Amino acid sequence: GEQPSPALPAGDATAKPDAKALADAEKAKEDEKAAPEEPLPPPLLHGRVTGEGAGIEGAAVNLFSTKSIERAIEHLEDLAPQGGEMPDIEGIVLGLREELEKFRASAVTAKSVKDGAYEFRVVEPGSYFVLTLADGWLFRYGDVVSLATQRNETLDLALDRGVSIAGRVVNASGEGIPGATVVAEFRP
């Protein structure tokens, strides 16, 4: 793009930039064009997010440092009252919300492309808990990866669609109950 002109000396609106300043600016432009772009580092973690055998575009692969999980657990334990103290429910809820927000913000995220491929190139070495989310698919959690700068890891992530539940909520007489809430809970 356009480079700004060399600055004029302060207080002299009529001064012209000197020849050396112009030459330096031109040389900087040429150096910028000639400098090759630095190659990206190889991915530390890569793989594909798939469902029903096909790549899933736009899936979010989130990495959470196991250290950040351990810190969050310690902070949450500190919120619990000790030795029969009366709990400060409002303080506990506020502390829990703060910890969850910090934890959520600590995620490093990659989005999968059309064929489901994703990669992480710049991530601190360490162990990470993996959470994968994609619209229309069940989330996947529980994978743990250990990343090091001299090693490339592959983690392919297969997601499931899940199932649909449909029906009618009725009372003992068989009459429909309007506005009833149905909750499904996963139990292994």
Side-chain angles (χ1 to χ4, degrees):
E2 288 289 313
Q3 294 291 321
S5 303
L8 298 176
D12 188 356
T14 61
K16 302 227 188 269
D18 65 21
K20 180 168 177 9
L22 286 173
D24 289 347
E26 286 301 315
K27 175 143 179 46
K29 266 187 184 178
E30 289 173 20
D31 289 348
E32 189 178 292
K33 289 178 186 174
E37 289 186 29
E38 289 188 33
L40 291 172
L44 294 178
L45 175 65
H46 63 98
R48 286 185 69 221
V49 180
T50 58
E52 299 173 353
I56 299 174
E57 182 178 8
V61 180
N62 300 282
L63 300 182
F64 294 93
S65 163
T66 55
K67 288 180 184 175
S68 70
I69 294 170
E70 290 166 359
R71 272 193 306 272
I73 290 170
E74 288 172 9
H75 290 149
L76 292 172
E77 287 173 343
D78 291 344
L79 294 174
Q82 305 295 318
E85 296 174 25
M86 201 56 176
D88 173 10
I89 301 300
E90 188 175 327
I92 292 172
V93 170
L94 180 62
L96 179 61
R97 284 184 177 156
E98 288 174 3
E99 272 313 307
L100 287 173
E101 189 52 42
K102 284 182 204 172
F103 182 67
R104 185 178 294 127
S106 75
V108 179
T109 302
K111 291 282 189 177
S112 61
V113 295
K114 190 171 186 168
D115 67 350
Y118 73 91
E119 60 184 30
F120 290 91
R121 290 183 181 274
V122 184
V123 180
E124 291 292 319
S127 295
Y128 291 87
F129 177 84
V130 182
L131 170 64
T132 308
L133 306 165
D135 289 340
W137 299 88
L138 294 176
F139 63 89
R140 177 175 169 153
Y141 67 97
D143 296 290
V144 177
V145 294
S146 180
L147 303 179
T149 53
Q150 302 304 317
R151 196 174 65 222
N152 302 64
E153 297 291 332
T154 300
L155 178 62
D156 292 326
L157 302 157
L159 303 183
D160 294 316
R161 283 259 186 225
V163 296
S164 296
I165 298 174
R168 186 170 173 238
V169 179
V170 296
N171 63 18
S173 304
E175 300 166 333
I177 301 175
T181 301
V182 177
V183 178
E185 182 178 311
F186 173 74
R187 297 207 180 178

